[in-house]
Amino acid sequence: MNRTIMINKLLERFSEFAIGQTIYFHTKRTTNIDDTTDEELKEIYLLFFPLQPSVSEQLFDAKNNEILKRFRSNVLTIATRVGVKEANCWNKFNNWMLNSSKYKKKLNDHTLEELKALELQLRATEVNYNRSALKVGTKAWHHKHNLNPPSEN
């Protein structure tokens, strides 16, 4: 976009003083819009007139969000089967995510690749859980059969 068009649009929408303050806050060296570089002017312009995403970008984001939801759902399902997540309690699962999961962050903060790795981690945990649940008296066996664990004494 042309420099003069960006300046005119900014001046139509805001006072010269307000633009000067924004420029100084952004550049830390001037309040005059004419002293800004093209890159600085473009960054300031995009603060007030953000670009609208195209239809293809919106479609890609929607598909990506669906895929992320599916992987999160898989992770939660496996975590519930293994006993990492209780039915109506998120505290145990959140603590496990922050302390024992591969990336040690909240479930919503994971990218697609991280969710795939987290799902693999939980699938491995599930295999170990099922192997341990076959042995009578283990914590996994008690959890699988919905029994209270024995006393620690």
Side-chain angles (χ1 to χ4, degrees):
M1 183 177 278
N2 190 353
R3 181 177 176 84
T4 56
I5 293 173
M6 287 192 280
I7 291 173
N8 288 339
K9 280 192 173 184
L10 285 169
L11 290 173
E12 285 175 9
R13 190 164 184 188
F14 305 104
S15 70
E16 210 169 307
F17 177 76
I19 293 172
Q21 293 301 308
T22 304
I23 291 169
Y24 183 77
F25 182 73
H26 189 72
T27 64
K28 301 285 191 244
R29 62 178 173 78
T30 184
T31 59
N32 189 355
I33 198 165
D34 295 325
D35 293 340
T36 59
T37 64
D38 290 338
E39 294 82 25
E40 291 170 342
L41 181 62
K42 186 173 182 180
E43 289 175 7
I44 292 168
Y45 180 81
L46 290 176
L47 285 174
F48 297 112
F49 301 101
L51 296 176
Q52 297 296 325
S54 67
V55 175
S56 61
E57 289 173 342
Q58 290 176 348
L59 183 63
F60 175 77
D61 288 343
K63 285 182 181 179
N64 193 29
N65 285 337
E66 279 299 315
I67 294 169
L68 287 173
K69 283 181 186 178
R70 186 169 44 95
F71 271 97
R72 287 183 193 128
S73 176
N74 290 345
V75 165
L76 289 171
T77 302
I78 297 168
T80 303
R81 280 196 307 251
V82 173
V84 171
K85 181 189 174 302
E86 299 297 328
N88 292 322
C89 181
W90 288 89
N91 291 337
K92 186 176 178 183
F93 178 73
N94 289 334
N95 287 336
W96 183 86
M97 287 295 294
L98 295 175
N99 298 323
S100 300
S101 70
K102 184 173 183 175
Y103 296 103
K104 305 207 179 345
K105 56 184 181 179
K106 294 186 281 187
L107 183 61
N108 284 341
D109 294 342
H110 285 74
T111 63
L112 184 60
E113 286 72 27
E114 292 171 346
L115 281 172
K116 288 178 183 178
L118 182 63
E119 185 177 356
L120 284 175
Q121 178 188 9
L122 278 167
R123 290 210 185 270
T125 304
E126 185 178 28
V127 167
N128 291 338
Y129 170 83
N130 289 332
R131 190 178 308 132
S132 180
L134 295 174
K135 299 174 187 161
V136 178
T138 62
K139 186 177 177 181
W141 182 82
H142 282 90
H143 180 267
K144 188 168 188 167
H145 296 289
N146 294 325
L147 300 172
N148 290 332
S151 174
E152 298 278 332
N153 293 341

